[in-house]
Amino acid sequence: MLSKRQLEERKIRQERILSSALEVFRSKGIDGATMDLIAENAGFGKATLYYYFSSKEDVLLRIMEEGWKSLLDSLEIIIQEGESPRQTFIKILVQTAHNARQRPNLFEFLFQAPKAINITDFKKQKWKQYQGRLYATLKGLLEDGIKQKEFPQLDSSLMFKAIGGLFTGMIFLGDKNDPVSEKDVEALLNKLITIP
């Protein structure tokens, strides 16, 4: 049985591998990344890397899983506050922007990697379940907001895609030094959609 210290060291090694892998994926692309490059960047031998992860795909999926789970977990308090759908939606976007600015490489990867991943059983991946829960929550807030006349009577899926695209641009293309505020998100919503 491993001691508490050994378990903590294991977690530190895994986090170091995942952080190093993220750097390799970003610099070499998913196809150009190799287990050799990940091990070298992490400062471990390949045996250590293979002890924790069976393949490059396994490493990539763990980054995706932990990233999407941490994002979803960070929003739980906001969702439980029980404010209006529009206010909850805005606060979720602000928190997501905050998370993305804290770890820009991770969040850019989370939003870009799915376009480049070629994995069988894509929908069965655990990270996809976390992503799906987040998207369903946001879509539900839009639908509730439409019912309560906080959003206009539009197709919620179309509205979600439009807001998501603009918001992603605001996070990754906007002013890196100026954090996204509720006022910014409200202005974005007001430009995109107006309530009749």
Side-chain angles (χ1 to χ4, degrees):
M1 166 111 66
L2 295 175
S3 70
K4 184 178 178 181
R5 184 181 61 77
Q6 289 170 318
L7 290 171
E8 288 170 356
E9 288 172 354
R10 173 193 283 175
K11 185 170 173 44
I12 290 168
R13 282 191 295 276
Q14 288 176 335
E15 287 172 358
R16 186 164 142 194
I17 290 168
L18 294 175
S19 176
S20 298
L22 181 59
E23 290 174 16
V24 172
F25 286 134
R26 286 189 35 82
S27 66
K28 301 292 183 186
I30 292 171
D31 291 335
T34 65
M35 291 293 269
D36 285 329
L37 288 171
I38 294 169
E40 181 182 319
N41 196 41
F44 291 124
K46 275 178 48 178
T48 301
L49 188 61
Y50 278 109
Y51 178 79
Y52 292 107
F53 301 99
S54 62
S55 64
K56 175 178 80 170
E57 182 179 279
D58 187 25
V59 174
L60 183 141
L61 292 175
R62 181 73 72 84
I63 292 169
M64 296 294 289
E65 179 183 334
E66 289 187 7
W68 282 104
K69 182 182 183 312
S70 71
L71 175 57
L72 191 63
D73 289 348
S74 75
L75 304 175
E76 186 172 359
I77 292 171
I78 295 168
I79 293 165
Q80 291 177 355
E81 286 177 346
E83 293 193 47
S84 72
R86 186 179 180 104
Q87 194 59 38
T88 302
F89 188 85
I90 290 169
K91 284 186 173 186
I92 286 174
L93 294 185
V94 170
Q95 182 62 46
T96 301
H98 173 74
N99 292 347
R101 288 182 190 254
Q102 295 294 318
R103 298 185 67 194
N105 293 343
L106 172 62
F107 279 85
E108 189 173 346
F109 185 77
L110 292 178
F111 287 99
Q112 297 301 321
K115 298 171 190 165
I117 297 174
N118 185 16
I119 298 173
T120 56
D121 297 328
F122 188 75
K123 291 184 178 181
K124 292 182 181 177
Q125 299 302 321
K126 200 165 187 175
W127 70 267
K128 191 69 177 159
Q129 295 168 22
Y130 292 121
Q131 182 192 54
R133 283 173 46 200
L134 173 61
Y135 289 175
T137 299
L138 290 170
K139 192 168 175 276
L141 287 167
L142 288 173
E143 290 169 357
D144 290 345
I146 290 168
K147 285 180 190 171
Q148 296 177 24
K149 301 195 183 327
E150 294 181 344
F151 294 111
Q153 194 72 31
L154 295 172
D155 179 321
S156 61
S157 294
L158 183 62
M159 190 185 327
F160 176 71
K161 287 179 183 175
I163 292 169
L166 289 171
F167 182 71
T168 302
M170 182 167 42
I171 292 174
F172 295 116
L173 302 175
D175 184 351
K176 303 287 187 211
N177 298 320
D178 202 13
V180 175
S181 69
E182 288 184 34
K183 187 176 177 181
D184 295 329
V185 176
E186 188 68 59
L188 173 70
L189 290 177
N190 288 336
K191 285 179 187 172
L192 180 66
I193 51 177
T194 55
I195 301 172

